[in-house]
Every structure is written in structure tokens, then in C-alpha cells.
Amino acid sequence: MNSVGEACTDMKREYDQCFNRWFAEKFLKGDGSGDPCTDLFKRYQQCVQKAIKEKEIPIEGLEFMGHSKDKSESS
């Protein structure tokens, strides 16, 4: 699947490959120590955020995976 921004598609594929390799070879075998793909994810995330702004895609009210800047909600 391509990314929301054409310029991000290669980064998405690189991150997907890294994550899938780590998940299968480490995490599923009990080694949950660290995710070597964090930097790739951050670069990809920044690229997607830029593409969303450029395409003027409304994202208000949507929650995204990752660390939230505002964690003030409580149950």
C-alpha cells in the first residue's frame, strides 16, 4: 500500500520491512527490548504529516498512533 504522500512511499516500505523483521525475529520470540525502527518511523511520520498539511486533509478529532502531546484525558 502506498503512503498518503508519494514522497513518503519509500520511507513507508523501509519502515514496514524493518518493523516486520523485528516483530517476527525478535518480539514474537520474547525479545521485546527496544524497537530498532523508531528513527525510521519518526522520519516517515514527519513526511506523512507534511503531506497531510500540503493536501489540506482535515484531521481534527482523529487520534494517531504514537506518543500524544496531550495525555490529559482520564477515564
Side-chain angles (χ1 to χ4, degrees), residues 8 19 21 28-29 33 37 46 54-55 72-75:
C8 306
F19 178 82
R21 187 176 329 114
L28 290 179
K29 294 179 180 176
S33 60
C37 310
Q46 289 171 346
E54 289 174 354
K55 293 181 179 205
S72 60
E73 295 180 285
S74 59
S75 338

Side-chain angles (χ1 to χ4, degrees), residues 2 13 18 40 44 65 75:
N2 289 340
R13 290 188 179 130
C18 180
L40 289 173
Y44 172 59
M65 288 177 42
S75 338

Side-chain angles (χ1 to χ4, degrees), residues 2 13 15 20 26 30 32 34 36-37 42 44-45 47 50-51 55-57 69-72 74-75:
N2 289 340
R13 290 188 179 130
Y15 169 72
N20 289 336
K26 301 286 184 176
C37 310
K42 287 178 182 178
Y44 172 59
Q45 185 180 42
C47 186
K50 181 180 176 191
K55 293 181 179 205
E56 298 179 359
I57 298 171
K69 292 180 183 175
D70 182 12
K71 292 190 175 186
S72 60
S74 59
S75 338

Side-chain angles (χ1 to χ4, degrees), residues 30-44:
D31 182 1
S33 60
D35 177 356
C37 310
T38 300
D39 289 337
L40 289 173
F41 176 77
K42 287 178 182 178
R43 284 188 291 155
Y44 172 59

